[in-house]
Each structure stands twice: as C-alpha cells, then as structure tokens.
Amino acid sequence: MKKTLLVTGGAGFIGANFVHYWLKKNTHDRVIVLDALTYAGNKASLDSVADNSNFEFVHGDICDTPLVETLLSEKSIDTIVHFAAESHVDRSITGPDAFIETNIIGTYSLLKAAKKIWIDVPKASGRDPLEHRFHHVSTDEVYGTLSATDPAFTEETAYAPNSPYSASKAASDHLVRAYHHTYGLAVTTSNCSNNYGPYHFPEKLIPLIITNILNDKPLPIYGDGQQIRDWLYVEDHARGIELVLKKGRIGENYNIGGNNEWANIDIVNVVCQLMNQAFQNDHELAVKYSKASKAIETKAQELITYVTDRPGHDRRYAIDATKTNNELGYVPVESFETGIVKTVNWYLTNDQWWHSILDGSYRK
C-alpha cells in the first residue's frame, strides 16, 4: 500500500539519510520533510532528491502544532517518522533550554497533532480512527552508562539518563508510550547506537576528525579516550527503521545497533590511518587539501590532543539488538571496516558540503 510519510528533522544527518534510503527503496511512497533548519539542519543534504516528484520540503517547526495538523490533514499523511531533535551532548550541557523545547515540547506537539487528526477528528464525525503510525527515533543514551563488563542494553533496561540531552530524549520516549497506552495512538520507538556516515554534522566525532585532519587542526580526545560506543552505519539504521515500520508490533520499542563497540581513541586512530593511506594513494589530494600537512606526510596521528573530559561523560554504551533481529530480521549490512572507508571517501569527495558548514555559508 502506498504511504505518505512526514519525516521530521529530515534535513539533519540521520533524517536526510533515511529520506534518501526510503525514496530509493519505496519508490511509490511520498515523503514530506518538515525541518526548522536550525544549526544542524542543512537543506543541501537533500539536493539529490529535490527533483523527485514524491518528495516535498516544508520549512517549519515541530512545535508549531497547527502547522503539523494542517500537513497531516491536507497531505493525507499516514506515517510520522520523528527524527527532529537537538542531539549534541556538549551543547546540552552548556545550553539545555533548546533540548527541552525541541525534544520534549516538540514531541508533545507532534503527538497532539497526530491524535487530533488521526483519532479525534474521525471519531467526532462518527468514523473509525485513520490507519496511522507514529514512529519515534530515540537513542541508547536514555539507558545511562555501562561498565566494561556489563551486558549490553536491551529494551528492558531501566532508563537512567545522565545528560540533559539523554534526559530530554527519555522524557519524549515516555510521552510517546503514554499516548499509545492512554489514547490508542499507534506508535513504535527505536533506540539506536552512535551513527556515522555521509552528511554527518562536523561537530560530531568522526566527521570532526576527518575535517580537522584536512585543515591540520588538533584532534581533541576527551579524557583518556577510552569511552566505548557501539557504532552503526547510518544506512543500516534506516534499514532498521524500515523493518520496524513494516513489521514491528504497535507499542513496542526496538533497539537498533551495529554490533560494533570501539573506544573513541581507537576510532580516531583508524580514521587517521585511513586518511594517511588516502593521501599516500592519491597524490592529487595533496593539491586539493594543501592545508593537510600531517596527512600529506602520513602522520595524521600527530594531531591527536587530549583535552579535559566533559562533565558526566558516560563510559560505555552497547546495544543488544536480539529482539529486533529475532522479530524483524534486522542485521547490519555494513561492517565497521567497510562503513568507515565509505564515510572517509564521502568526506574527501564532498568537500563543498562540509566546507559550507565550516564557513557558515550553508545558513545563507
């Protein structure tokens, strides 16, 4: 059956990759992106689908409930995939207000609009509620932190968020659950591990390391660099969400992970090695990226700089995706070895995209 999706935050990193994936795999469906284009939203990330007749972009805020209601009604939207969120932990520590506004109030706004258009309005007219799905994209950070020997997070792990970011996402998860149990809204939630891949905003670890190497800038490592994360290639995340939408049980949570735990310092060293190899194998890169003196010398690791750890830094996250695998058949396609090579090559090739972010011109 043909679907019409509203993808919130679709100009952000994961949202844009999901839009690309969905339009490629589900060619008859319509996709409408709603994005406020805050600092991490970049409309250029959607340029490759801009001419697709099944794609539409709407510049707007998820906190604008009347706008969301109008879109749901006038566009006959039956599925919301909710990515829109403030997501950078450092920013949540220095400025938590935006995280409360977007992640909690914004999610509440969407839920209110969905309930009204999909359930309340039809019932007031004596009709059955419309067929619908509200899928909420969350994070493994809501579960807190793990020691080196703790088992990975499952869907039954108690919530224990440690940063304003993760606390705001936990609150939004609970609101989604409540709207299902109280009002009958057809919801699903997925909790993912750290994503990486194309269109990743350069303040996050992997793109920061790549772009700093290309500009011969220090590679900042928090504390001892032994914080462990499970890394998930972004298209595998999109594939997992597709499975949840098509096969997932209403009201359920599904963990989506990469089965791929790495310490931060090891990630940085791998990226440095790949950048060294790239410059060694392609001498034209030295012309294109003339500032990258350490990579040109195949000594990118010399840029590594240890800095003071951030407050309350969680030590380890790890996802157990057994439920998602058993119920939905989810298995990551990319290994880290293949995914990180694709990611490095994408940044080396798409310098115009990330240069526009670093110089601020993408906002003009």
Side-chain angles (χ1 to χ4, degrees):
M1 176 190 285
K2 182 177 178 179
K3 295 286 186 184
T4 301
L5 283 68
L6 179 67
V7 179
T8 70
F13 164 47
I14 305 176
N17 277 281
F18 175 82
V19 170
H20 296 153
Y21 175 84
W22 196 272
L23 288 170
K24 179 175 65 178
K25 296 282 289 190
N26 301 274
T27 56
H28 298 295
D29 289 352
R30 293 171 59 219
V31 173
I32 299 163
V33 165
L34 175 63
D35 200 297
L37 296 179
T38 56
Y39 78 94
N42 188 350
K43 200 174 177 183
S45 300
L46 298 167
D47 281 352
S48 64
V49 298
D51 294 331
N52 188 318
S53 61
N54 285 329
F55 170 78
E56 181 179 349
F57 180 84
V58 177
H59 185 194
D61 194 330
I62 58 172
C63 292
D64 186 347
T65 310
L67 170 62
V68 178
E69 291 174 358
T70 298
L71 290 174
L72 293 179
S73 180
E74 293 186 354
K75 306 291 185 181
S76 299
I77 291 165
D78 51 56
T79 304
I80 293 174
V81 187
H82 177 32
F83 292 97
E86 296 285 345
S87 64
H88 196 249
V89 174
D90 286 1
R91 287 178 181 261
S92 83
I93 293 169
T94 58
D97 289 10
F99 290 75
I100 305 305
E101 181 71 18
T102 299
N103 299 356
I104 301 177
I105 304 302
T107 301
Y108 174 55
S109 169
L110 291 170
L111 290 165
K112 282 196 299 180
K115 173 179 174 287
K116 178 178 177 179
I117 300 303
W118 288 338
I119 297 176
D120 295 345
V121 171
K123 281 186 174 180
S125 302
R127 296 180 282 115
D128 291 334
L130 300 175
E131 184 176 341
H132 65 272
R133 175 73 69 88
F134 186 110
H135 181 72
H136 176 58
V137 181
S138 190
T139 171
D140 57 1
E141 296 190 41
V142 299
Y143 298 124
T145 188
L146 297 168
S147 74
T149 57
D150 284 335
F153 301 128
T154 73
E155 292 81 358
E156 303 304 316
T157 301
Y159 277 27
N162 290 319
S163 69
Y165 161 60
S166 56
S168 68
K169 289 299 290 185
S172 66
D173 292 7
H174 292 320
L175 281 170
V176 172
R177 173 185 169 87
Y179 262 69
H180 169 63
H181 285 275
T182 301
Y183 303 114
L185 196 69
V187 309
T188 44
T189 295
S190 55
N191 296 80
C192 69
S193 53
N194 279 33
N195 281 219
Y196 70 100
Y199 302 107
H200 203 174
F201 197 77
E203 72 182 359
K204 298 299 182 79
L205 179 63
I206 289 176
L208 176 71
I209 298 307
I210 295 170
T211 56
N212 276 17
I213 289 172
L214 294 174
N215 286 289
D216 225 35
K217 292 183 176 180
L219 310 181
I221 307 298
Y222 281 133
D224 60 5
Q226 293 300 318
Q227 301 86 2
I228 295 172
R229 302 293 183 260
D230 174 27
W231 290 91
L232 171 67
Y233 190 66
V234 66
E235 187 168 288
D236 279 328
H237 187 190
R239 186 177 294 108
I241 292 172
E242 179 185 36
L243 288 169
V244 175
L245 287 169
K246 294 184 175 181
K247 298 181 179 180
R249 290 182 288 140
I250 300 301
E252 290 293 312
N253 286 49
Y254 292 93
N255 282 351
I256 301 176
N259 301 323
N260 179 44
E261 291 185 55
W262 285 74
N264 285 348
I265 185 60
D266 294 333
I267 290 282
V268 173
N269 278 311
V270 166
V271 172
C272 287
Q273 291 166 12
L274 289 174
M275 294 291 281
N276 290 340
Q277 290 170 13
F279 276 79
Q280 190 172 33
N281 296 335
D282 183 355
H283 297 295
E284 291 184 6
L285 288 176
V287 177
K288 184 176 182 180
Y289 298 108
S290 59
K291 294 181 180 179
S293 63
K294 290 298 183 182
I296 293 169
E297 297 170 6
T298 66
K299 298 178 181 178
Q301 286 91 336
E302 293 184 2
L303 294 169
I304 292 174
T305 305
Y306 290 88
V307 299
T308 302
D309 207 353
R310 71 182 176 210
H313 201 170
D314 289 339
R315 195 64 172 171
R316 173 176 169 245
Y317 306 139
I319 282 282
D320 181 341
T322 299
K323 175 181 175 181
T324 313
N325 175 264
N326 289 344
E327 289 192 18
L328 311 181
Y330 166 77
V331 178
V333 171
E334 294 290 344
S335 67
F336 188 69
E337 290 72 21
T338 60
I340 194 63
V341 169
K342 287 183 177 181
T343 301
V344 168
N345 289 340
W346 189 90
Y347 279 89
L348 289 172
T349 304
N350 292 274
D351 54 302
Q352 185 175 355
W353 181 87
W354 56 263
H355 268 308
S356 72
I357 295 174
L358 296 185
D359 66 20
S361 62
Y362 80 113
R363 302 296 302 277
K364 296 176 182 176

